[in-house]
Amino acid sequence: MKSQTAPKTYRVKSFGCQMNVYDGERMGELLAAQGLAPASEGEEAELVVLNTCHIREKAAEKVYSDIGRLVKAGRQAGREPMIAVAGCVAQAEGEEIMVRAPAVSMVVGPQAYHRLPEMLDKAVQGERATDTDMPAIAKFAALPERRKIGPAAFLTVQEGCDKFCTYCVVPYTRGAEISRLYSDLVAEAQRLVEAGAREITLLGQNVSAWAGEDAKGRVTGLAGLIRDLAAIDGLARIRYTTSHPADMDDDLIAAHGEVEKLMPFLHLPVQAGSDRVLRAMNRSHTAESYLKLLDRFRAARPDIALSGDFIVGFPGETEAEFAETLSLVDAVGYAQAFSFKYSPRPGTPAASMDGQIAAEVMDDRLQRLQAALNRDQHAFNRASVGRRCEVLVERKGKLPGQWLGKSPWLQSVWFDADCAIGDLVQVELGDAGPNSLEGRVLLREPA
Ligand code: 5AD
Ligand code: SF4
């Protein structure tokens, strides 16, 4: 590859989960610390980082078509951007990307992106670089301090997954479970709050498996971390995601009843309602044990809003088994949920199982499941009408004077008020749609 002019502007395009959003922000900060400026809206960036997701559907194909599009647009504009591929597709298919896409200068995995500046130097010299090492958590220490942040921030506390659900690529792309150090997390949370965050969502592929030693050297789990973060002045709200039912301990359930800053919301993927399918998925819970677990959360925090993930059309799933998923949905009454068609991931056990389901059957099941989930989400919103709560103002709405924020139950709420981003506004919830509610402002507490 020829040497290239050092890029002055960058854009990070993140796909997939919130962990990727967090990683994308941190890569941006890293590039900014190297003197690059974020490309402004509508402007072509001189360095484009495609921060990819590998969890479902033709992820790699999408990356190649994105690269093709960038190269074409660059040629037309007279300068091709430098391209880096990051994230889970980079981890899973790094070498292949280098072979198939000569326009790519850098391939960097999710555990190695702190080395992006060195790779960038090499790329400028004309040397292509791949780094998909998975060292234990070294990257966090190598990242610059966080300076400017929106009111709702992410904080990765844990990475990787040891669960090996048979459909899932995460244990291969993100590696084994690793918890970041307690002291680093408290310090980063404090900095996030100083930089403007009022809500922090603790992130991890399997966040409830977080474990560490607190300031007094006591072994503590996620609940202990949440209790200590709740002591940070100026931090108003704490959330966490994503959890596995097997790692929800008594202390975390109790924390939902005791820690006021811990929001009444739980994202707890179930994936399916049939015990046979759950076993084939290697999920280690049954429909009944999952429902009992939710009952314990509801006992600790009666208004807790529930969210989940679902996969339809797992290999061998019969119509009767799919009907058990619908029954479970009816039994729970989710406030929101994510549902997906099963997608065979190369190298995972389920990809070579018998009984792969036809696309039309999956489409039909997904449609029926989503109809049920949408119905429940709308019902949850309607049941919230008249509730008084705080909304954290996150951005301006479309109309002048209109603002958008989130309720404690993670509903989008829009309202007219004289306020600013980061304010906590007291509202009474009214007019409920399937995806958002209108709020009537009662009182405003300045940021
Ligand atoms: N096919 C479809 N959905 C999947 N998920 C994970 N792997 C797959 C797959 N191979 C879904 C699960 C998980 C969410 C993040 O993505 O529901 O909880
Ligand atoms: Fe994937 Fe299962 Fe781990 Fe979630 S718990 S990341 S679905 S292996």
Side-chain angles (χ1 to χ4, degrees), residues 266-301:
L266 175 66
H267 178 65
L268 194 62
V270 62
Q271 313 297 0
S274 142
D275 291 344
R276 192 206 61 81
V277 172
L278 289 169
R279 256 195 321 277
M281 288 176 162
N282 191 30
R283 283 293 293 179
S284 81
H285 59 84
T286 61
E288 194 191 344
S289 69
Y290 176 83
L291 291 172
K292 285 209 167 119
L293 183 57
L294 294 187
D295 284 344
R296 290 167 64 207
F297 276 93
R298 283 193 170 119
R301 181 77 206 226

Side-chain angles (χ1 to χ4, degrees), residues 51-71:
N51 189 20
T52 59
C53 169
H54 200 232
I55 206 146
R56 283 176 297 274
E57 302 292 349
K58 308 187 183 84
E61 291 318 309
K62 195 170 161 355
V63 176
Y64 293 114
S65 68
D66 279 353
I67 294 168
R69 210 169 313 125
L70 285 169
V71 169

